[in-house]
Amino acid sequence: MNATEILKGSVERITYYSEETGYCVLRLLPDKARRATDLVTVVGAMPELQPGETLRLEGEWTTHPRHGRQFRAETVVQILPTSVDAISRYLGSGLIKGVGPVTAKRIVDHFGPATLDILDSNPERLINVPGVGKHRAALIAQAWVEQQQIKEVMLFLQGHGVSSGLAVKIYKTYGDQSIGIVSRDPYRLARDIFGIGFRTADKIAQDLGLPPDSPARIAAGVVFSLQEATNEGHVYVPRDELATAAAAILDVPPEMAETAIATLLQRGEIYTETIPDGLGHVEAIYLPPMFYSEKGANARMKLMVETPQSRLADLMAIDLESLIASLSARREITLTAQQREAVRLALTHKVSVLTGGPGTGKTTTLHAAIAVLDRTNHRFMLASPTGRAAKRLSEATGHPARTIHRMLGFSPSDMAFLHDENNPLDTDMLIVDEASMIDLVLFYNLLKAIKPDTHLVLVGDVDQLPSVGAGDVLRDVIRSGVGPVTHLDVIFRQAGNSQIIPNAHRINRGELPDMSNQSDDFFVFSEDEPDAAAALLVDVVQNRIPSRFGLDPLRDIQVLAPMYRGAAGVSALNNVLQETLNPSNGRIAERRLAGRLFRVGDKIIQTRNNYEKDVFNGDIGRVHSFDMTNQIMVIAFEDRFVKYDWFDADELTHAYCISVHRSQGSEYPCVVMPVVTQHYMMLQRNLLYTAVTRAKKLVVLVGTRKAVAIAVNNDKVARRWSALDWRLRS
């Protein structure tokens, strides 16, 4: 057994860091190094570190068969640097808001080795540093004090498995009360702070000595189980299934979970209602937002349908058939009888649905409806759930379209939408495209902003994946029969030798797509093993597609994957594609935030709605720049630049590869997708269909024909517990 050794030095570079496990690979400049290039590799579980920090490590030297000699750290202690150079690097590393490398050098040049002591005891002396004015000195002093307080919180939390990034968010939320609040009620973290779930809070609680059968723990576990179900798309959970799921997570008898459910119901923290389920009834348990949204959406839709007044009532006296025919001829639009009927239904019914696959004429039908509204001087609005879908809708119709969120407006001061039942949208008809993506909560907020005499047209492909958020709105509205539904099924749009649209419809019918590789735009590259498939996929994206089709790997190609895990999953592919398409070269600015390495030029995606920034789940952008001094990362989205503080970075993740779910509502020139049998759990017909229909010019599947067949033959759409269709029917 090797003897334990001690190694001291400063962090030069973080090569790898896992937020989940804390495992880190870094390059360290030892204190005893003769040259600045005498770096050593250190590996082990560590807190989230930054270049410039000084460490005291205990561990042993080992030899890795591929990477050579490295120091395996057993204990890691962050210590304050002592040499002038080390202090300058420490202060200028981006650790202290307002202090960059230039300011750090000025401060250290002025105070020398006593710099950190002066910052601790007499920060007001910063005003004497040349080039640091009174205002800036005060900001730096405040940031230093705050950083020391954050360090205390970090030291407390890191022992409980909380990353540095989350520790900062905890401090920003609770301030000086952080340690006290976490000690008294660790489960509050899961309720209050994005990025901290029940399991992290439960680990802290267990470390603090809370008994496994504590009522507070079991109640938190029940709420967590309900939230997990909501994250999977369910609006409610049957009571017995909730008790079973919570008991399994908590490792307690189901009776304890049942007791907690009863207590939470008494306290009004969850809601229940008995609803039909097949031949019998089920006691449904809801989180409050889901309960109010489902009941509210039902009430608003019924109000629209049952209100006799219509803002398009004057069209009843017009020969709509003749008007539609004449306007279509004038605009050189050819409509089938089914499409003409869809236009008539939208103009004469308060709620209607237009659905169909790609190329079946949904947009052409909308053109005709809009032409009638234009001709008769009626107002209309166009909206979609995502920015990309809204842009496509605007380009396709020639009229302005917005996201639903932006159309409704949001007031950060009130934390509510500007348009609601008290301030409704002033329009005669609202057309919502990509309606399969609308979740229940957003749908309720939309309905609240529609006057009862306004017409609502939902347009979408019901065969695609359901919304990322909870609910199955489009299917529920169709099943309820609350309004007429037109299902377009004749394919019009199909160019030459193109196979994208025909293959999409084959998949949707349960038939294998044409995988002969004889078309101009649909290819299958075979590779059995996930690692080999991942390597082939990277080559396809980096070299083959750009060489043959002239498409840009970052701008034009989107990799979609069925799962997050595995060599051909979202996480692994993002890592390898980042290093392939946007590698570090020593000149590109980068920063490790929230466990991820962000680099200028990186393709990123927003993972939650941020109303204050006016950025929403699914928005894709590029890392534009870093302000290391003020701890800000700037993201270039399609229409503007948005600033993110370091601790907001956990809202972002890389988008070189994204899940098929996240791609909904978007279109890309080229879609590349791994389809391997390792993903069999997620290989479903509607998932493959959704992925293929995202592509405008080119589809490349990398994997096996067997995996494609598994997906095509699996038409079981996972049932979502939702009662909106029943409420609308009853």
Side-chain angles (χ1 to χ4, degrees), residues 122 129 256 450 500 523 543 659 718:
N122 302 105
V129 177
M256 287 188 173
I450 300 175
I500 293 178
F523 300 90
N543 301 311
S659 69

Side-chain angles (χ1 to χ4, degrees), residues 143-399:
W144 176 259
V145 171
E146 187 175 278
Q147 184 61 32
Q148 302 317 297
Q149 291 169 336
I150 290 173
K151 282 276 187 188
E152 287 181 32
V153 175
M154 283 182 181
L155 287 172
F156 172 76
L157 293 171
Q158 280 167 1
H160 304 296
V162 179
S163 71
S164 301
L166 289 179
V168 172
K169 295 200 85 162
I170 291 169
Y171 179 80
K172 293 290 183 184
T173 304
Y174 302 134
D176 296 342
Q177 306 299 312
S178 297
I179 294 175
I181 288 172
V182 173
S183 300
R184 286 192 304 274
D185 183 9
Y187 296 106
R188 184 170 165 184
L189 295 173
R191 299 193 298 270
D192 293 351
I193 298 174
F194 172 75
I196 295 184
F198 169 79
R199 289 187 174 89
T200 299
D202 194 41
K203 183 181 184 303
I204 296 172
Q206 298 291 298
D207 287 350
L208 293 172
L210 194 73
D213 60 353
S214 160
R217 175 176 184 261
I218 297 172
V222 167
V223 172
F224 169 71
S225 298
L226 207 44
Q227 289 169 335
E228 285 284 277
T230 300
N231 293 338
E232 291 169 6
H234 300 295
V235 176
Y236 68 83
V237 178
R239 184 167 182 160
D240 56 347
E241 300 220 17
L242 177 61
T244 302
I249 288 170
L250 295 162
D251 195 22
V252 299
E255 299 77 40
M256 287 188 173
E258 178 54 51
T259 301
I261 291 172
T263 302
L264 289 165
L265 286 169
Q266 273 187 335
R267 295 203 301 240
E269 294 181 33
I270 57 177
Y271 290 87
T272 183
E273 185 165 354
T274 301
I275 62 174
D277 183 54
L279 298 176
H281 288 77
V282 64
E283 186 177 0
I285 306 294
Y286 291 81
L287 288 170
M290 295 298 111
F291 184 74
Y292 289 121
S293 294
E294 191 172 86
K295 294 194 73 170
N298 168 61
R300 296 295 302 184
M301 285 206 85
K302 284 185 174 175
L303 177 64
M304 288 178 66
V305 172
E306 293 169 4
T307 297
Q309 291 80 17
S310 164
R311 294 174 72 121
L312 301 181
D314 55 318
L315 296 182
M316 304 297 181
I318 296 175
D319 182 354
L320 280 176
E321 284 284 343
S322 298
L323 180 59
I324 293 168
S326 66
L327 288 172
S328 299
R330 189 180 308 166
R331 298 185 182 215
E332 297 183 348
I333 299 173
T334 302
L335 297 180
T336 64
Q338 190 184 34
Q339 288 173 312
R340 290 197 302 274
E341 177 65 2
V343 174
R344 190 189 67 78
L345 292 171
L347 298 170
T348 56
H349 287 72
K350 292 287 197 58
V351 176
S352 63
V353 175
L354 177 64
T355 185
T360 56
K362 296 190 296 295
T363 303
T364 302
T365 307
L366 286 185
H367 268 294
I370 290 170
V372 173
L373 295 171
D374 263 340
R375 177 71 175 77
T376 55
N377 296 316
H378 286 96
R379 284 172 292 184
F380 60 91
M381 288 183 177
L382 305 175
S384 288
T386 68
R388 289 195 168 205
K391 184 180 179 184
R392 285 197 297 110
L393 180 61
S394 180
E395 290 170 349
T397 61
H399 294 274

Side-chain angles (χ1 to χ4, degrees), residues 527-528 530 675-681 683 703-708 710:
E527 193 60 72
D528 292 338
V675 188
V676 294
T677 52
Q678 185 191 40
H679 291 164
Y680 73 94
M681 291 282 291
L683 291 177
T704 67
R705 285 165 167 76
K706 179 181 177 182
V708 173
I710 290 172

Side-chain angles (χ1 to χ4, degrees), residues 433-711:
D433 196 17
E434 296 287 357
S436 62
M437 297 179 62
I438 304 176
D439 62 62
L440 179 63
V441 174
L442 181 60
F443 189 55
Y444 176 42
N445 280 293
L446 176 68
L447 292 175
K448 284 196 293 184
I450 300 175
K451 292 181 178 180
D453 56 358
T454 294
H455 286 231
L456 172 65
V457 182
L458 299 176
V459 184
D461 186 346
V462 75
D463 294 317
Q464 287 187 21
L465 290 169
S467 58
V468 175
D472 203 357
V473 169
L474 185 59
R475 282 190 185 86
D476 280 346
V477 171
I478 290 173
R479 283 192 294 248
S480 73
V482 71
V485 178
T486 303
H487 197 136
L488 302 176
D489 52 12
V490 177
I491 303 173
F492 296 100
R493 178 163 50 91
Q494 181 179 336
N497 194 30
S498 171
Q499 283 297 322
I500 293 178
I501 290 175
N503 274 343
H505 285 274
R506 289 187 187 104
I507 291 166
N508 201 32
R509 292 194 300 266
E511 302 169 7
L512 286 175
D514 181 341
M515 295 184 279
S516 65
N517 290 351
Q518 297 302 305
S519 71
D520 298 326
D521 58 4
F522 197 100
F523 300 90
V524 179
F525 288 179
S526 296
E527 193 60 72
D528 292 338
E529 295 302 318
D531 288 284
L536 175 57
L537 182 145
V538 172
D539 182 44
V540 165
V541 171
Q542 182 187 20
N543 301 311
R544 300 193 192 190
I545 292 175
S547 174
R548 178 168 174 182
F549 296 96
L551 298 177
D552 182 87
L554 285 174
R555 186 184 62 248
D556 301 324
I557 302 172
Q558 183 60 59
V559 180
L560 306 179
M563 289 182 70
Y564 279 86
R565 295 177 181 172
V570 172
S571 301
L573 287 174
N574 262 320
N575 290 336
V576 69
L577 286 167
Q578 181 193 36
E579 290 309 314
T580 303
L581 302 178
N582 190 31
S584 174
N585 61 11
R587 298 187 301 275
I588 302 176
E590 59 184 37
R591 180 79 184 185
R592 188 169 294 279
L593 300 167
R596 297 183 180 89
L597 182 64
F598 291 98
R599 187 176 292 140
V600 168
D602 273 347
K603 190 175 181 180
I604 59 89
I605 187 168
Q606 176 81 11
T607 61
R608 67 182 295 231
N609 291 335
N610 188 319
Y611 296 105
E612 293 187 8
K613 294 185 188 298
D614 197 28
V615 181
F616 302 101
N617 190 357
D619 286 354
I620 288 181
R622 300 277 288 273
V623 177
H624 177 266
S625 59
F626 293 95
D627 181 345
M628 300 294 188
T629 300
N630 294 303
Q631 301 183 346
I632 288 171
M633 176 166 58
V634 180
I635 305 298
F637 288 102
E638 208 162 63
D639 54 350
R640 63 212 169 87
F641 295 96
V642 180
K643 294 180 178 179
Y644 287 77
D645 287 324
W646 283 173
F647 63 88
D648 285 334
D650 59 349
E651 297 183 6
L652 302 170
T653 190
H654 293 99
Y656 296 97
C657 176
I658 62 176
S659 69
V660 180
H661 257 108
R662 286 202 182 281
S663 74
Q664 287 176 268
S666 298
E667 269 192 353
Y668 315 98
C670 172
V671 164
V672 178
M673 181 182 179
V675 188
V676 294
T677 52
Q678 185 191 40
H679 291 164
Y680 73 94
M681 291 282 291
M682 290 296 294
L683 291 177
Q684 296 174 343
R685 185 184 299 172
N686 61 351
L687 182 136
L688 181 60
Y689 172 74
T690 300
V692 169
T693 56
R694 300 307 89 209
K696 290 191 289 186
K697 297 180 180 178
L698 181 65
V699 171
V700 179
L701 305 181
V702 181
T704 67
R705 285 165 167 76
K706 179 181 177 182
V708 173
I710 290 172

